[in-house]
Structures are given as structure tokens and as C-alpha cells.
Amino acid sequence: MTEPLTEKLQHLRTEAKHALDKAADQDSLEPWRVKYLGRKGQLARLIKDISQLDAPARKSAGQLANTIKQELTQAFTARAAVFRDHHSAPATALSGASLPPASSVGHLHPITLSIRRIQHIFARMGFIVAEGPLVEDPAYNFDLLNIPLHHPARAETDTFHTASGSVLRTHTSPVQLRAVLAMNLTPPFSVISPGRVFRSESTDASHEHTFHQLEAFMVGERVTVADFKGVVKKYFSDFFEQNVTTRLRPSYFPFVEPGFEVDMSCIICQQAGCSVCGRTGWLEMMGAGMVHPNVLKNMNIDHTRWQGFAFGGGIDRLAMLRHHIDDVRLFMSGRLDFLNQFS
Ligand code: DAH
């Protein structure tokens, strides 16, 4: 079975390159990409067959498929650059090697890249990833998190409501309950949940109605604030690739007790004082605390035996600091001149 499959791959390589050479203009590139490199394209189909081979054959066929994928992607990029730079002039004499990459291939959004980076950091610390719905039941967004009806967070003005009585979630904290209940988790466990949240507020360079948060929580028999401080230090230090310090300030959130705000040493000025940190040397990064007994009860967890921490903070802010972006609205703007910097 090996022979035919590697032969098929070789044949595909020749045919695809030939077809690409014959592509007469920009418009014929996308159909070519879909046919050969698309998710349901010819290469993808052959790659699927590889899994049925036995181990040694699988390895060599896999390597070959990877090489071919790289070759075809590069050839495509080079061809697209030729068309872009020279419009539709034939360019057979040009080698692709020195040409800039084509922007038409597409790439991940900077927020997606940040989320992947974060997931990686937390995976190494043993956290699992959970997702919750964006259109949320107010019970999860508020009540089960110990947020009473009169709490300012529930103000009509801050929350987008749907006609059927749901809300667009205003934070990722409801996933604490969703994850534990849906996956039937029993302690000890460590979970993160990155995702999109919404608030009905006016926008400016540092506020957007749609943004992203990271929720994290860890429950165990002896999980303390010290564990929290260790995890957060690791999170920020790895994310920004520099050693940061953190400080906690007492604060109030209904779903934790005690609660605090977490500041991180300014990574822009190293605490010398700059405009980003308002000359304080500290950046406000997240809310956190020890999970409130009422919330543990709502998770069906015995709060006399188990305890843990939770925190929630903005992801857009992290990406902005890391890439020196000064306007949060750029993320949702769809502006290609901004987005293409992340290709
Ligand atoms: N959900 C809060 C917000 O969006 C942030 C937060 C505070 C999350 C404290 C937590 C926490 O998990 O313990 O403002």
C-alpha cells in the first residue's frame, strides 16, 4: 500500500507545480490553492490515507507529504507575489526566493495568537481548557456567581440583553460553573477559559464593547493565595518573556473571598515610570481571589474540604502591551494594514 500512496504524492507534486506554472493571472490562484492545498483538497485527502499505513511507512509518507506541502505553499506564495508585484505580466524567469510573501494566504488574528500562547503556558502547568457559550443564561453570568440582583455589575446599561432573556456574557467567570458542571469535574482540578466577552459601554482607545478575557481557577485541598501568586508570575513572565513582579491589592468581587486586584510591574519602563503605567511603575492586570464558598456550593463541591483561587483578566491588554498597540479598537476593526503585521 506504501508504493501507491507515495507515488500518488509524487504525482500530485508534479501535477500541482505544472498547474501553478500555467496559472495565467491572480484570479486562477485561489482555485489552484483550494484544489491542491485546501482543507478538502487533493493533498489533504492523501494525508488522510496516510493514517492507514503501518508505522514505518506512515513516517516516510508523512515526511514526504510535509515536504510537498511546504514546497507547494512556497511556490504558491512566490507565484502570488509575482502577480501582485507585476500585475499580470508573465514572470516565469523570476525565482520566488527573494520575493516578499503574499498576503493573500491569510494568517491568524493577533488575539488568536495571544490565546494560543497563553494556552501553551498554562498547559505546561497542567491546566485544561474549557469553553462556554457567548450568549449566556443570566443565572450563570450572575446568580450562580453570587452576584445579587442589585449589584452594579448587573446594571441594564452595562449588559447586552437578547429578546429572549439571555445576556451576552459580560465576563468569562460563568465558565467556572459551566466547566465544572458540564465536565463533572471533581477536585483537584485546574482550568483556564479564554474567550470573547461583551459590555455595552462607549468605546475609546482602551475600551471596546467586544473584548477577550482569560479566566483561570484551581481547586484542591490546600490551594492557597501562594499558589495563585506563583501561577500568575509564571503566566506574565512567560507571556512577556521577562521576569515580572506582581502585587495584590484588596478588592471586592462577589464570587471570591478574599478578593484582590493584581498589578504587574510595568514591562515597558521596568518601573522607571512611563505614560503606559501612568508613572506608577505598575499595570492593573486582573481581578482575583479565593473562590467563594457559595460558588463552590453551586458547583456541588464541598467547601469545607476544598478551596481554590480564581482570576479573570483581559487578553487584549496583554496583546497590546506585547506588541506596543495603542488602540484596542484596532483588533475588531478588520483593518488589513493593522492585521497584516501579524502574518
Ligand atoms: N469577572 C471579573 C470581571 O470581569 C474579573 C474577575 C475577578 C474574575 C475576580 C475572577 C475573580 O475569577 O476571582 O471584572
Side-chain angles (χ1 to χ4, degrees):
M1 179 158 180
T2 326
E3 266 305 88
L5 190 51
T6 41
E7 257 170 43
K8 275 188 206 163
L9 282 164
Q10 303 279 18
H11 183 234
L12 175 68
R13 163 154 65 186
T14 316
E15 184 196 309
K17 284 188 178 169
H18 189 63
L20 190 61
D21 283 341
K22 284 206 307 195
D25 51 27
Q26 180 91 42
D27 291 345
S28 47
L29 285 183
E30 183 57 11
W32 180 92
R33 193 192 64 75
V34 172
K35 179 171 175 192
Y36 294 105
L37 290 174
R39 221 183 312 163
K40 294 186 182 148
Q42 296 196 4
L43 186 60
R45 246 181 283 153
L46 290 183
I47 287 175
K48 234 189 225 160
D49 292 343
I50 291 177
S51 61
Q52 284 153 26
L53 299 175
D54 51 84
R58 194 160 60 217
K59 187 162 178 222
S60 61
Q63 278 165 354
L64 178 63
N66 270 338
T67 309
I68 293 176
K69 188 169 188 180
Q70 272 171 17
E71 280 179 21
L72 294 183
T73 307
Q74 270 166 16
F76 172 79
T77 306
R79 195 80 178 143
V82 167
F83 287 134
R84 195 187 51 202
D85 294 347
H86 303 271
H87 300 286
S88 52
T92 34
L94 279 176
S95 133
S98 59
L99 291 166
S103 56
S104 53
V105 178
H107 56 83
L108 296 175
H109 190 279
I111 293 290
T112 308
L113 292 172
S114 287
I115 289 177
R116 291 194 176 187
R117 197 177 164 76
I118 292 167
Q119 287 178 345
H120 213 79
I121 295 169
F122 279 90
R124 287 203 298 268
M125 292 192 272
F127 283 73
I128 59 168
V129 181
E131 278 189 5
L134 305 186
V135 180
E136 187 52 286
D137 182 337
Y140 283 89
N141 199 80
F142 300 121
D143 304 86
L144 295 168
L145 284 166
N146 206 32
I147 304 176
L149 253 184
H150 61 263
H151 193 274
R154 292 186 79 143
E156 292 287 314
T157 45
D158 293 341
T159 309
F160 288 112
H161 295 266
T162 73
S164 59
S166 301
V167 296
L168 299 194
R169 68 178 184 187
T170 57
H171 53 175
T172 42
S173 300
V175 189
Q176 290 185 28
L177 290 135
R178 289 268 178 202
V180 173
L181 297 175
M183 292 193 273
N184 236 326
L185 294 180
T186 49
F189 54 71
S190 307
V191 182
I192 58 165
S193 184
R196 192 169 284 193
V197 300
F198 310 87
R199 290 198 195 156
S200 173
E201 51 185 17
S202 53
T203 61
D204 59 34
S206 45
H207 295 90
E208 175 62 294
H209 49 69
T210 301
F211 56 105
H212 303 79
Q213 285 189 333
L214 177 76
E215 194 77 16
F217 55 105
M218 178 187 278
V219 176
E221 224 150 5
R222 273 185 287 273
V223 175
T224 68
V225 177
D227 296 294
F228 165 71
K229 288 191 75 172
V231 167
V232 168
K233 188 176 166 65
K234 179 86 182 135
Y235 169 31
F236 290 148
S237 296
D238 280 8
F239 188 87
F240 293 110
E241 295 173 284
Q242 54 179 280
N243 198 19
V244 304
T245 50
T246 57
R247 77 175 180 188
L248 307 186
R249 286 177 288 113
S251 185
Y252 173 72
F253 300 96
F255 33 95
V256 284
E257 180 58 36
F260 19 83
E261 300 265 355
V262 184
D263 297 340
M264 174 184 76
S265 52
C266 181
I267 54 144
I268 306 291
C269 65
Q270 315 302 334
Q271 301 202 287
C274 68
S275 60
V276 175
C277 61
R279 292 176 222 297
T280 63
W282 294 99
L283 298 165
E284 288 181 20
M285 300 303 288
M286 55 165 71
M290 297 301 288
V291 182
H292 197 287
N294 287 349
V295 176
L296 289 172
K297 272 186 227 165
N298 293 338
M299 293 171 177
N300 301 322
I301 291 173
D302 178 0
H303 70 280
T304 61
R305 173 160 178 218
W306 306 100
Q307 60 181 29
F309 67 75
F311 67 79
I315 293 176
D316 307 63
R317 181 90 197 287
L318 256 65
M320 288 169 76
L321 286 167
R322 187 170 151 81
H323 300 292
H324 301 273
I325 297 164
D326 60 7
D327 192 331
V328 67
R329 292 168 295 191
L330 285 166
F331 288 128
M332 291 288 144
S333 67
R335 273 176 51 177
L336 289 178
D337 57 343
F338 168 70
L339 294 172
N340 283 342
Q341 298 176 86
F342 300 90
S343 62

